Amino acid sequence: MILFRYVSREILATFFAVASVLLLIVVSNSLAHYLSRAAAGSLDPSVLFWILLYRIPASLEIIFPLSLFLAVLLGVGRMYMDSEVAVLFATGTSLKRLSRWILTPALVIAAAVGCITFYVGPAGLQAANTVFDEQRSRSEVDRLIPGRFMNIGGGSGVVYTESVGEGRLGRVFVASAEKDEQAFVILAPSAHEEQLAENRYIVLNDGVRFDVTPGELGGRELRFDAHGILIPQADIEEKESKLKIWSTMELWDAGEREHMAVLHYRLSLTIMVPIITLLAIGFGRSNPRSGRFAKVIPGILIFLLYFSLITAAQSAIEDGQIPTWLGMWWIHISFATLAWWLLTSDEREMKKSGGGVEHAPD
């Protein structure tokens, strides 16, 4: 029991450390992206925290398996390098028993991954999509920040205003210049937004418009009581694909190829956890002279190959190239066989040489 707690603590400590670093990288990258969108006025800064929070579970679907794989790979490698495994074997502990000790926390993590991928992750993505829908429905006027030049609707025009309040703008400057087309500048003491049919306009009041043509001298001055400018449709954010946010029961009830492909993908993320754990144990076994990190790169390549095959199989199932009854089981069986081959390599070598090692009963 003491040895089991020691091995579990070694694996879990590394797992949480690696997962924290990977999660920090993912969140930092997402935060930088959404901050740039908020600075451009596409997103309200007050919703950034919620968007990041809702999308974290979907990231953990991959972060947890990868973190566990690296934790076992590094943990087992350190134990071999420090000759701790040799001491365990000398006292009667078999590789089979050591693998069971490592698999115990791995199964707990597999259960967590299953809960995330089947329930928490899709719910989080659905909540994030709801926030994006709310941001998309916001008025363009509400997105403007006083005292800053801002783009409107992703077009070429920029708007500057000194004040924003109750759907109205105060002291407005508008400029637009398409390549090889007429450019204009508009000044107005006030403006507001109006919608006609499916189009939205910023209507400027009691202002003046200056039209100029690039490369030509002079221009035209036009004073107006009301002047409307079409607002291009803004691309707030690409939402997650519809099937990603479907609940597990909705996918199961639909039952089409594309729905079953997503179910197979979610199930595979859970099944792969114990398999990559055994793979990491096999790859982590090394000679003390080779160093702790000798097999990290080959191990990561194997993990990436495993995950790439899962994503490729999902597309193949959607396209009908792989039957739904077969799914991704052939991938799991292949990598489980590879794990078994790695774990039994020493035993096969001993049998060939006619030797053997006796261990305490498991």
Side-chain angles (χ1 to χ4, degrees), residues 1 20 27 32 48 110 114 138 149 160 176 179 181 186 200 357 359-360:
M1 195 66 180
S20 299
V27 171
L48 297 185
R138 281 199 312 156
F149 288 92
Y160 176 93
S176 178
K179 185 177 181 181
E181 294 186 7
I186 301 177
R200 291 181 297 173
V357 177
H359 297 296

Side-chain angles (χ1 to χ4, degrees), residues 22-38:
L22 293 179
L23 181 60
L24 180 61
I25 293 173
V26 171
V27 171
S28 299
N29 183 62
S30 299
L31 179 60
H33 171 69
Y34 293 129
L35 281 176
S36 66
R37 302 301 296 265

Side-chain angles (χ1 to χ4, degrees), residues 124-163:
L125 293 178
Q126 188 170 16
N129 275 12
T130 301
V131 175
F132 288 133
D133 287 336
E134 293 173 352
Q135 294 297 298
R136 188 173 282 104
S137 64
R138 281 199 312 156
S139 165
E140 288 287 345
V141 171
D142 293 334
R143 296 176 189 158
L144 295 177
I145 300 175
R148 293 188 58 181
F149 288 92
M150 303 192 68
N151 178 266
I152 292 206
S156 61
V158 294
V159 176
Y160 176 93
T161 180
E162 290 188 357
S163 63

Side-chain angles (χ1 to χ4, degrees), residues 31-218:
L31 179 60
H33 171 69
Y34 293 129
L35 281 176
S36 66
R37 302 301 296 265
S42 299
L43 292 175
D44 187 344
S46 64
V47 304
L48 297 185
F49 170 78
W50 297 107
I51 293 175
L52 291 174
L53 182 65
Y54 292 146
R55 294 173 71 92
I56 282 177
S59 302
L60 294 179
E61 295 175 357
I62 306 302
I63 289 177
F64 275 5
L66 178 57
S67 299
L68 178 64
F69 180 79
L70 292 175
V72 175
L73 193 63
L74 294 173
V76 172
R78 188 200 64 78
M79 293 174 68
Y80 269 93
M81 185 179 66
D82 295 343
S83 300
E84 293 180 5
V85 174
V87 174
L88 289 175
F89 289 169
T91 57
T93 300
S94 65
L95 180 60
K96 184 178 179 181
R97 179 181 295 179
L98 178 62
S99 300
R100 284 207 306 266
W101 289 347
I102 298 175
L103 274 174
T104 301
L107 292 177
V108 175
I109 295 173
V113 171
C115 181
I116 292 172
T117 190
F118 279 106
Y119 302 105
V120 183
L125 293 178
Q126 188 170 16
N129 275 12
T130 301
V131 175
F132 288 133
D133 287 336
E134 293 173 352
Q135 294 297 298
R136 188 173 282 104
S137 64
R138 281 199 312 156
S139 165
E140 288 287 345
V141 171
D142 293 334
R143 296 176 189 158
L144 295 177
I145 300 175
R148 293 188 58 181
F149 288 92
M150 303 192 68
N151 178 266
I152 292 206
S156 61
V158 294
V159 176
Y160 176 93
T161 180
E162 290 188 357
S163 63
V164 178
E166 298 182 356
R168 300 189 65 85
L169 306 177
R171 295 180 63 87
V172 185
F173 168 90
V174 180
S176 178
E178 294 284 355
K179 185 177 181 181
D180 300 327
E181 294 186 7
Q182 190 177 61
F184 65 83
V185 174
I186 301 177
L187 300 175
S190 64
H192 63 279
E193 182 177 338
E194 288 187 7
Q195 181 159 351
L196 297 176
E198 296 182 355
N199 296 321
R200 291 181 297 173
Y201 298 84
I202 286 185
V203 180
L204 299 103
N205 307 308
D206 302 322
V208 57
R209 168 171 173 157
F210 302 95
D211 292 331
V212 295
T213 302
E216 298 183 5
L217 295 175

Side-chain angles (χ1 to χ4, degrees), residues 275 279 330-344 348:
I275 296 177
L279 278 171
W330 58 278
I331 302 175
H332 304 305
I333 292 173
S334 299
F335 280 88
T337 303
L338 175 60
W340 172 84
W341 183 83
L342 290 171
L343 290 171
T344 58
R348 292 194 304 273

